[in-house]
């Protein structure tokens, strides 16, 4: 059996606001049980499960794909010329095998989930100082100024990349 959901970007609602009208903020994700990421994502809902899909930029989607290929998890993925990201997995992966095509939304973000179990990326995840600096920058993307939290010298570029990724996925570059 092959699964081929490939909804157009405007075919499903993309809520990014809480019920009270306040915008949802970014979160950091990893694949459960791994040290991958942190993947800067934008949840669509306040409450999510490990299989809920979240929005990710193309850069983060590329990192997810690279980590998946490095892990040899029975799943492959690639980007088509039109930007569509297609996941393909074997019967050994889930008992059925299948494909999933994800088209970017109007802002170039990919709705990824349901293929593996997400976990919050945090101190319980084994990580490097570089991953921690990137995560710190992403978490502090709304704070004005330069570096807000200290991290090891020489990792400012990773801190800046984390901030930039959070701004890109949230579409709120000017938010205080």
């Amino acid at each position: 059996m092959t699964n081929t959901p490939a909804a157009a970007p405007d075919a499903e609602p993309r809520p990014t606001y809480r019920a009270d009208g306040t915008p949802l903020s970014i979160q950091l994700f990893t694949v459960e049980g791994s040290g991958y990421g942190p993947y800067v994502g934008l949840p669509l809902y306040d409450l999510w499960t490990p299989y809920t899909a979240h929005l990710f930029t193309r850069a983060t989607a590329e990192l997810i794909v690279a980590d998946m290929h490095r892990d040899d998890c029975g799943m492959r993925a690639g980007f088509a010329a039109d930007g569509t990201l297609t996941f393909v997995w074997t019967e050994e992966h889930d008992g059925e095998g299948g494909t999933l095509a994800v088209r970017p939304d109007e802002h170039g973000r990919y709705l990824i989930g349901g293929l593996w179990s997400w976990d919050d990326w945090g101190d319980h995840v084994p990580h490097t100082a570089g991953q921690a600096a990137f995560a710190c920058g992403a978490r502090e993307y709304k704070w004005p100024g330069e570096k807000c939290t200290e991290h090891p010298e020489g990792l400012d570029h990773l801190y800046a990349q984390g901030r930039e990724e959070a701004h890109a996925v949230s579409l709120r570059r000017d938010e205080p």
Side-chain angles (χ1 to χ4, degrees), residues 2 5 10 22 29 38 42 48 53 55 59 62 71 73 76 90 97 100 103-104 110 119 123 131 139 164 169 174:
T2 301
D10 57 357
T22 59
F29 298 97
L42 184 64
W48 55 268
L55 290 172
E62 289 174 356
D71 198 35
C73 64
R76 304 296 293 168
T90 63
L100 173 67
R103 291 189 203 117
Y110 293 81
D119 191 9
D123 290 339
Q131 287 172 300
R139 285 186 185 117
E164 177 58 31
V169 74
D174 297 328

Side-chain angles (χ1 to χ4, degrees), residues 32-126:
E32 188 175 68
S34 80
Y36 294 140
Y39 306 128
V40 180
L42 184 64
L44 299 182
Y45 306 98
D46 273 337
L47 301 174
W48 55 268
T49 71
Y51 288 93
T52 300
H54 309 290
L55 290 172
F56 299 94
T57 65
R58 167 80 183 237
T60 297
E62 289 174 356
L63 178 61
I64 291 168
V65 168
D67 287 344
M68 178 179 32
H69 290 172
R70 186 174 50 182
D71 198 35
D72 193 26
C73 64
M75 186 179 291
R76 304 296 293 168
F79 291 89
D82 69 354
T84 300
L85 171 58
T86 302
F87 295 92
V88 179
W89 59 95
T90 63
E91 187 175 324
E92 290 79 31
H93 179 74
D94 69 352
E96 296 182 18
T99 62
L100 173 67
V102 180
R103 291 189 203 117
D105 71 6
E106 63 276 11
H107 304 289
R109 300 173 303 179
Y110 293 81
L111 188 62
I112 301 174
L115 302 173
W116 53 78
S117 186
W118 292 119
D119 191 9
D120 283 313
W121 192 92
D123 290 339
H124 69 286
V125 176

